Amino acid sequence: MARSKIYCARVLPDPIMTAIRARYALVHEPPDHSPSRPDLQQGFSQADAVITTLTECVDDTLLACAPRLKIIANYAVGYNNIDVFAAGQRGIVVSNTPDILTDATADLTWALLLAVTRRVVEGDRWLRTGQWPGWAPTQMLGGNLTGKTLGIIGMGRIGQAVALRAAGFRMPVLYTSRRPVAIPAGLSWTQCSLDEVLTQSDFLSLHVPLTDTTRHLIGAHELQNMKPTAYLLNTSRGAVIDEAALVIALKTGRIAGAGLDVYEHEPAVHATLSRLSNVVLLPHLGSATLETRIRMGMICLTNIAAVLSGNPAPNQVG
Ligand code: DGY
């Protein structure tokens, strides 16, 4: 029997590529960069199943080129790159990779929080220039974490994993959430309005999906409401923040600093951000651990196998 055809938009870690080759026929070898639109169209036109990543825009025009496509397995928990409604109209299933990247993303959020507060990257850069004159009492002073308030916008899986880690720093957590949250015994987690979280937090961490409602959720007005000593952290999607407004807030000292893993117009980063010393910038590394990226691939394959054999996808979205 002929093997089903898979189009994989990007090269995935070796064990996943090996598993794909063992089970399916690849439409063609995936590139190590985001494919051009014609390549994407060609891939979609021949595939029974596709694996996309957050860098591929899957709109109705692209779906119109895909007569035999049954499932789009998105190699990400976020799926704002896909027109899920249009896919549904065409009977194409869309799946994502929830749960397994929760810890990696929460860890990276804390890496950003610690790095920006204790000036880790700034210190490393200074030392490497060979200009460090030795220890001094007033040198590169950062801020304490212990006992400070952590604000979380979006208390889903990743938001809760970030909040759990705050217990180690004895930090109370304020959060917003659309859904009820089961608060673990003994932890100080309090649900608040967005305004309360903005005005009372020392660290504000964003964990909402990018939708029409959350685009520019944090803009000039919200930044104005934050404490001037507060830090903003974003490991969700760049466009949740109005990046131009953030640049002004950082330049004028409206807030103390920011730790960013995601950007409004990736891979472009607002030129001023790279010049500011009160910002730590990472290249979208939230889920970037080998174990996590392998598990994400396995989840894509599980969903594809289910749909191609006529069963529901365990991680269908929309
Ligand atoms: C996701 O899964 O949405 C991440 O941003 C990709 O690592």
Side-chain angles (χ1 to χ4, degrees):
M1 201 172 95
R3 296 201 292 176
S4 298
K5 284 191 167 180
I6 288 217
Y7 170 64
C8 185
R10 307 286 295 265
V11 173
L12 303 178
D14 278 347
I16 303 304
M17 294 313 305
T18 305
I20 294 175
R21 289 193 187 95
R23 298 176 206 177
Y24 302 105
L26 271 172
V27 169
H28 52 67
E29 281 301 317
D32 197 14
H33 54 79
S34 193
S36 66
R37 187 74 180 178
D39 283 353
L40 209 50
Q41 281 170 347
Q42 207 228 352
F44 268 65
S45 68
Q46 297 176 48
D48 301 299
V50 297
I51 300 180
T52 49
T53 74
L54 58 95
T55 55
E56 286 80 55
C57 168
V58 182
D59 54 21
D60 196 43
T61 316
L62 182 61
L63 295 172
C65 309
R68 48 194 283 176
L69 186 61
K70 296 186 184 53
I71 170 165
I72 303 164
N74 207 38
Y75 187 76
V77 65
Y79 47 89
N80 53 292
N81 57 310
I82 300 175
D83 185 339
V84 176
F85 178 76
Q89 294 290 95
R90 292 177 181 278
I92 301 168
V93 172
V94 179
S95 66
N96 71 342
T97 61
D99 297 324
I100 34 98
L101 45 70
T102 297
D103 286 321
T105 309
D107 291 347
L108 194 89
T109 305
W110 275 92
L112 280 171
L113 191 158
L114 284 158
V116 71
T117 315
R118 297 303 306 273
R119 305 176 68 174
V120 171
V121 180
E122 215 185 329
D124 178 86
R125 275 197 295 257
W126 188 38
L127 187 134
R128 285 169 196 258
T129 62
Q131 290 167 33
W132 180 47
W135 187 89
T138 55
Q139 199 175 76
M140 296 210 93
L141 303 181
N144 275 351
L145 269 68
T146 307
K148 299 264 173 78
T149 299
L150 174 64
I152 297 198
I153 309 290
M155 199 65 155
R157 299 181 194 90
I158 299 175
Q160 290 183 43
V162 170
L164 278 174
R165 285 152 174 75
F169 296 92
R170 301 195 294 282
M171 292 169 75
V173 173
L174 306 180
Y175 68 90
T176 66
S177 179
R178 281 179 306 145
R179 300 203 186 95
V181 172
I183 301 179
L187 293 187
S188 168
W189 293 5
T190 311
Q191 183 161 8
C192 298
S193 68
L194 176 61
D195 264 356
E196 287 167 330
V197 177
L198 288 169
T199 53
Q200 294 174 35
S201 299
D202 298 299
F203 302 92
L204 183 70
S205 194
L206 309 180
H207 300 287
V208 288
L210 178 61
T211 63
D212 290 343
T213 317
T214 61
R215 186 173 298 276
H216 286 194
L217 181 69
I218 304 297
H221 170 77
E222 290 71 27
L223 291 159
Q224 189 62 36
N225 280 349
M226 289 173 66
K227 294 183 184 180
T229 48
Y231 292 87
L232 179 63
L233 308 156
N234 192 10
T235 51
S236 61
R237 284 291 182 267
V240 173
I241 299 178
D242 176 346
E243 212 164 87
L246 174 63
V247 166
I248 295 172
L250 289 165
K251 266 173 69 177
T252 57
R254 206 21 251 142
I255 63 171
L260 306 175
D261 186 42
V262 289
Y263 306 90
E264 193 169 352
H265 305 289
E266 289 181 21
V269 176
H270 196 295
T272 309
L273 277 179
S274 338
R275 292 199 288 271
L276 296 174
S277 58
N278 54 345
V279 186
V280 173
L281 305 172
L282 293 180
H284 204 144
L285 294 180
S287 65
T289 70
L290 181 60
E291 300 94 318
T292 301
R293 291 280 166 90
I294 290 174
R295 284 190 210 128
M296 288 165 69
M298 293 319 281
I299 291 200
C300 289
L301 290 181
T302 303
N303 282 279
I304 288 172
V307 170
L308 293 186
S309 57
N311 293 308
N315 306 104
Q316 177 164 357
V317 297

